[in-house]
Amino acid sequence: MKGYAMLSIGKTGWIEKDIPACGPLDAIVKPLAVAPCSSDIHTVWAGAIGERHDMILGHEAVGEVVEVGSMVKCFKPGDRVIVPAITPDWSALESQAGYSMHSGGMLAGWKFSNFKDGVFAEYFHVNEADGNLAILPDSIDIATATMLADMVPTGFHGVELADVQFGDKVCVIGIGPVGLMAVAAAAIRGASYIYAVGSRPNCAQVAKEYGASEIINYKNGDIVEQIMTLTSGKGVDRVVIAGGDNDTFIQAIRMLKPGGKIGNVNYLGEGDYVRVPRTEWGCGMGHKSIAGGLMPGGRLRMEKLASLVESGRLDPSKLLTHKFNGFEHMEEALLLMKDKPKDLIKPVVIL
Ligand code: NDP
Ligand code: ZN
């Protein structure tokens, strides 16, 4: 089969591989639509997970099941499925402790294009099909459904980590596709005011459509000062970080009220330490908590998020700015994600 792969750090290309084998608990899936992600870019061009050779890229897909293992109970060939980017081992102790994304080790629930070939292929392998696949409802089109694999669950997880409560004032730092889904999730959770930080005009427009009250442009001066002006000097109850760099934590802590919470889903690619401003952290006694996490993955989460789309409460299709028809456009779509033209939010490739 054909796949679009990381050949080595900084290099990608088409390769030929055998169709993966199906274990007793697993499924083999043929993709119907796939989307490249900022994480694919970090993997190839920032060497985020170290050197990989001829590893097929991609972890965002919906597809059709072509084979299931002898012990799979809930799926059969022909089923159209949503495949989460994170596919944990559900019997691992970490999963039993509530941290499925770390099943088998830190971040090890992330398998596609990390420990094994990803979804930019004619076929791909899904471990523990019953725990990790979800039936794609007929009412959700395949392009929109690809956003359920990673962008929706990651943005929503940021809001879970920040523990947004109704009436909270929330700042979402970063309004690429992940941050935009955090804006939508904060609105669904009942935030009173949502301050969205970004600079690209089309992202700002979509953030407003998802429920942002104000857009803060980080290129127009200190975002903490802008937040303080908007909140009469009080700050916000919650911060979700979906963009920026290590120093974004400093800003998040400074804009947070005592007792506030930060939920980070942003990938921190550089430096050895993340700094915490001592005074604004209450000299260690400010009850300002920081949680950072990979999204949990799994079937239940996919079904619940798909249900939000089915009911009309969430419309992830606003993220899709660039649509390609045909697998041959895979490279073009991936490079768009790398170059991030101003009008891009998220590309999708329909196979
Ligand atoms: P994008 O690059 O599309 O968006 C990043 C956002 O951050 C943009 O709105 C950008 O603004 C903004 N930004 C950049 N620099 C700053 C700054 N200094 N201060 C404030 N805002 C800033 O990324 P994605 O939405 O695709 O992904 C976001 C992050 O989530 C990435 O790090 C990605 O790796 C990570 N991720 C994490 C996952 C998880 O499970 N935890 C899963 C998937 C992704 P603008 O461009 O408008 O100037
Ligand atoms: Zn992704």
Side-chain angles (χ1 to χ4, degrees), residues 8 27 54 58 62 65 76 78 118 125 132 167 171 182 201 224 227 302 310:
S8 59
D54 298 346
V62 293
V65 174
K76 58 183 188 317
H125 168 269
N132 285 321
C171 178
V224 183
I227 286 281
M302 288 300 111
E310 270 195 295

Side-chain angles (χ1 to χ4, degrees), residues 21-187:
C22 188
L25 293 170
D26 308 338
I28 303 301
V29 175
K30 175 177 146 35
L32 297 171
V34 299
C37 177
S38 298
S39 307
D40 294 308
I41 305 308
H42 297 146
T43 297
V44 178
W45 283 279
I49 56 172
E51 189 58 277
R52 296 287 192 279
H53 291 288
D54 298 346
M55 177 187 72
I56 295 174
L57 288 163
H59 54 262
E60 299 183 11
V62 293
E64 183 182 315
V65 174
V66 294
E67 184 183 350
V68 293
S70 57
M71 294 173 77
V72 173
K73 298 189 193 90
C74 308
F75 297 91
K76 58 183 188 317
D79 285 345
R80 284 152 56 102
V81 288
I82 306 166
V83 187
I86 306 301
T87 53
D89 301 309
W90 289 97
S91 59
L93 293 182
E94 294 88 350
S95 298
Q96 293 182 28
Y99 295 96
S100 54
M101 66 297 271
H102 304 300
S103 62
M106 175 108 83
L107 308 177
W110 170 26
K111 299 186 190 308
F112 290 126
S113 66
N114 186 5
F115 300 123
K116 68 174 186 184
D117 283 326
V119 303
F120 299 164
E122 288 178 277
Y123 300 93
F124 61 86
H125 168 269
V126 179
N127 60 296
E128 296 192 25
D130 284 338
N132 285 321
L133 293 176
I135 292 289
L136 169 64
D138 288 338
S139 63
I140 309 178
D141 71 87
I142 54 173
T144 303
T146 55
M147 297 299 97
L148 287 163
D150 193 4
M151 298 299 94
V152 177
T154 298
F156 274 61
H157 191 49
V159 166
E160 277 182 310
L161 290 170
D163 193 24
V164 172
Q165 304 290 320
F166 63 82
D168 277 348
K169 292 185 176 171
V170 181
C171 178
V172 177
I173 304 181
I175 46 170
V178 173
L180 286 169
M181 287 300 93
V183 170

Side-chain angles (χ1 to χ4, degrees), residues 38 42 175-178 199-200 218 242-243 265-267 293-295 340:
S38 298
H42 297 146
I175 46 170
V178 173
S199 80
R200 281 176 280 162
Y218 64 96
V265 286
N266 192 34
Y267 161 74
L294 182 69
M295 70 95 162
K340 295 225 165 114

